[in-house]
Amino acid sequence: MDPAERAQAARARVPRIDPYGFERPEDFDYAAYEEFFSTYLVILTKRAIKWSKLLKGSGGVRKSLTDLNRTFPDNVRFRKTAEPCLQKTLYNVLLAYGLHNRAVGYCQGMNFIAGYLILITKNEEESFWLLDALVGRILPDYYSPAMLGLKTDQEVLAELVRMKLPAVAALMDGHGVLWTLLVSRWFICLFVDILPVETVLRIWDCLFNEGSKIIFRVALTLIKQHQEFILEASSVPDICDKFKQITKGDFVTECHTFMQKIFSEPGSLSMTTITRLRESRRAALLTQG
């Protein structure tokens, strides 16, 4: 195969739709884009840190509950035409929690979690207290302005992949891919709108019972089960697309088998190990400012 044919084949393997939904032209330079984006990720990270500091200050952007209309638009119970409309219930729960936990207030992602809790419990007060258990106890600092707990756990996942799936870690490092680009929604939305509903509910059962360790088990299982598929990736966009694809299909739909897998596929995963990694990664993040 000559160079032109190889380039054409490479382009054929890469999705022609960009992350914003726009179709890329036939002559799109994927090599140049990958080189640019690898550098740009560093800029995005710095900007995210600046925004975090701005939002913590008194002159920051005012937090609001403008996400209500974007919460489960495909769920008939959240549509304004529904009777009763769960958007009102969702608003009440999020507003009450913002007043209850002023250090957190409202953070994007909480709307999806609260929405699921409302669908399950059909009760505002129960949803409120379950949300408090998740945000205040099980996942501390995930939803605070600095999101230090969320950033720490993403770094912990990266270390666990490095320990258990070194080939995948090498692929990420080789392309300069930040894990937050791939898995931030897994963590912040607790797999809502990512995995099938029944699978998410089974994961949440374990989350409430066993704590946040279950999130790492799910993430590692998804990656290990599809390791060969992920390793086929040849560019940053290709890696991102494959991480979206591994959350779909029969493997995640068959929730009972999936839940059995998450307790076997990752192997040993002690809370001692996670705590140690959290302490080291948190310290590193704090040092970075």
Side-chain angles (χ1 to χ4, degrees), residues 74-135:
D74 56 346
N75 189 303
V76 295
R77 298 176 185 175
F78 281 91
R79 292 175 185 166
K80 291 182 178 179
T81 54
E83 185 57 47
C85 175
L86 292 186
Q87 275 198 21
K88 174 62 176 174
T89 306
L90 178 61
Y91 176 84
N92 291 343
V93 171
L94 292 174
L95 180 62
Y97 191 76
L99 295 171
H100 169 71
N101 187 346
R102 293 182 182 274
V104 172
Y106 171 72
C107 173
Q108 285 188 341
M110 287 171 57
N111 55 316
F112 289 104
I113 295 169
Y116 254 44
L117 292 172
I118 290 166
L119 287 170
I120 298 163
T121 66
K122 302 178 176 63
N123 182 285
E124 283 187 16
E125 185 174 355
E126 289 180 12
S127 298
F128 170 87
W129 288 115
L130 287 170
L131 182 65
D132 186 47
L134 282 171
V135 176

Side-chain angles (χ1 to χ4, degrees), residues 139-150:
L139 304 169
D141 287 342
Y142 262 45
Y143 305 97
S144 62
M147 290 185 165
L148 185 57
L150 176 71

Side-chain angles (χ1 to χ4, degrees), residues 4-262:
E5 289 175 324
R6 284 199 298 271
Q8 184 177 2
R11 285 196 296 271
R13 291 196 299 269
V14 179
R16 289 192 55 219
I17 305 299
D18 73 11
Y20 304 99
F22 295 102
E23 193 169 3
R24 287 172 172 151
E26 291 284 351
D27 59 351
F28 186 83
D29 190 340
Y30 289 94
Y33 179 80
E34 181 178 346
E35 182 179 354
F36 152 75
F37 201 74
S38 296
T39 305
Y40 188 55
L41 282 174
V42 178
I43 298 172
L44 288 177
T45 303
K46 291 179 179 178
R47 287 181 61 83
I49 294 170
K50 287 182 179 179
W51 271 107
S52 175
K53 291 179 179 178
L54 173 64
L55 289 170
K56 285 191 291 185
S58 58
V61 180
R62 183 178 179 272
K63 293 183 180 181
S64 67
L65 300 178
T66 57
D67 285 332
L68 293 181
N69 291 331
R70 295 198 295 271
T71 306
F72 307 132
D74 56 346
N75 189 303
V76 295
R77 298 176 185 175
F78 281 91
R79 292 175 185 166
K80 291 182 178 179
T81 54
E83 185 57 47
C85 175
L86 292 186
Q87 275 198 21
K88 174 62 176 174
T89 306
L90 178 61
Y91 176 84
N92 291 343
V93 171
L94 292 174
L95 180 62
Y97 191 76
L99 295 171
H100 169 71
N101 187 346
R102 293 182 182 274
V104 172
Y106 171 72
C107 173
Q108 285 188 341
M110 287 171 57
N111 55 316
F112 289 104
I113 295 169
Y116 254 44
L117 292 172
I118 290 166
L119 287 170
I120 298 163
T121 66
K122 302 178 176 63
N123 182 285
E124 283 187 16
E125 185 174 355
E126 289 180 12
S127 298
F128 170 87
W129 288 115
L130 287 170
L131 182 65
D132 186 47
L134 282 171
V135 176
R137 178 173 57 84
I138 299 174
L139 304 169
D141 287 342
Y142 262 45
Y143 305 97
S144 62
M147 290 185 165
L148 185 57
L150 176 71
K151 295 173 184 175
T152 298
D153 278 2
Q154 289 175 162
E155 293 281 325
V156 170
L157 176 63
E159 289 301 314
L160 290 172
V161 171
R162 199 176 306 280
M163 292 161 54
K164 294 176 175 292
L165 302 165
V168 175
L171 176 70
M172 302 298 142
D173 292 341
H175 288 278
V177 179
L178 297 178
W179 279 93
T180 187
L181 183 69
L182 304 173
V183 302
S184 59
R185 288 189 66 239
W186 294 9
F187 284 83
I188 201 167
C189 294
L190 303 181
F191 301 102
V192 172
D193 244 19
I194 296 164
L195 297 178
V197 176
E198 289 297 332
T199 305
V200 173
L201 295 181
R202 290 288 301 274
I203 292 169
W204 281 21
D205 283 344
C206 295
L207 181 62
F208 278 107
N209 186 53
E210 301 190 18
S212 58
K213 180 169 72 171
I214 202 71
I215 300 175
F216 298 111
R217 285 199 168 277
V218 172
L220 287 170
T221 300
L222 286 169
I223 297 168
K224 183 175 182 181
Q225 181 70 22
H226 300 92
Q227 180 173 201
E228 291 184 7
F229 175 69
I230 292 170
L231 292 175
E232 293 173 359
S234 57
S235 67
V236 174
D238 200 9
I239 292 170
C240 294
D241 182 64
K242 288 188 184 301
F243 266 78
K244 289 180 182 177
Q245 290 187 51
I246 66 174
T247 61
K248 307 180 189 306
D250 292 342
F251 179 65
V252 294
T253 301
E254 297 171 2
C255 59
H256 187 64
T257 303
F258 180 81
M259 294 307 293
Q260 292 175 328
K261 287 281 189 180
I262 70 172

